[in-house]
Amino acid sequence: VPARERAAVVLRAAAAMRRRRYELNALLMLEVGKSWAEADADTAEAIDFCEFYAREAIRLSGPQPLRPVPGEMNELRYIPLGVTAVIPPWNFPLAIACGMTTAALVAGNTVVLKPSSDAPRTATVLVELLEEAGAPAGTVNLVTGPGGAAGETAAAHPRTRVLAFTGS
């Protein structure tokens, strides 16, 4: 799928997050105990990640500046790598999960999102938002469970090409 189409999905997700901002804030307060201000900042950062990565995908999909070398015709193209395992922390369950997931998506990769065991509902809503925004079936996959089992399996799987992990 061309970068502009991938970016459009993520931009639609950002718009949906703006419309559902209060709902997302309430979910963050309920699930991980954030204050209203912290929850709102987490949601705002998730929206910013969507906007930034979508626009960067469009920018980077075009011709890239290269130093000319006499006698050579060079080009630079960014290509998807494949399956990205995304393992975000509990303390920023929307922003970091969203940032790592959308960065992988706009780059053309599929995602296996394994959220913190403390924040599975937030990740579920994120996946639902991306699907509603038009992410094709199978591009964002949610796996919940303990990090020692589900997280390690996703990270160590032979088809996992990229690991996006924040935590200890």
Side-chain angles (χ1 to χ4, degrees), residues 60-134:
L60 293 172
S61 70
Q64 298 301 305
L66 295 171
R67 181 175 299 274
V69 177
E72 292 185 6
M73 188 169 66
N74 296 313
E75 68 177 322
L76 170 63
R77 265 189 236 179
Y78 292 97
I79 61 170
L81 294 175
V83 178
T84 301
V86 172
I87 305 173
W90 69 270
N91 57 338
F92 290 94
L94 182 58
I96 295 179
C98 180
M100 294 192 296
T101 298
T102 57
L105 279 179
V106 297
N109 300 299
T110 58
V111 173
V112 175
L113 172 57
K114 196 310 241 180
S116 165
S117 299
D118 295 326
R121 182 67 187 138
T122 300
T124 301
V125 171
L126 172 61
V127 171
E128 289 169 355
L129 283 166
L130 288 165
E131 289 174 347
E132 290 167 13

Side-chain angles (χ1 to χ4, degrees), residues 52-53 67 82 89 118 131 139-140 149:
F52 176 77
Y53 288 127
R67 181 175 299 274
D118 295 326
E131 289 174 347
T139 57
V140 184

Side-chain angles (χ1 to χ4, degrees), residues 13-14 17-18 20-51 88-100 102 116 118-119 122-123 126 129 166:
M17 285 183 206
R18 275 191 199 87
R20 295 174 61 181
R21 186 172 186 161
Y22 293 132
E23 175 191 342
L24 293 169
N25 291 352
L27 177 58
L28 292 165
M29 293 167 62
L30 177 68
E31 192 163 50
V32 294
K34 285 189 176 259
S35 68
W36 184 264
E38 290 172 340
D40 196 47
D42 199 323
T43 301
E45 188 174 7
I47 295 165
D48 288 346
F49 276 136
C50 289
E51 296 280 346
W90 69 270
N91 57 338
F92 290 94
L94 182 58
I96 295 179
C98 180
M100 294 192 296
T102 57
S116 165
D118 295 326
T122 300
L126 172 61
L129 283 166
T166 301

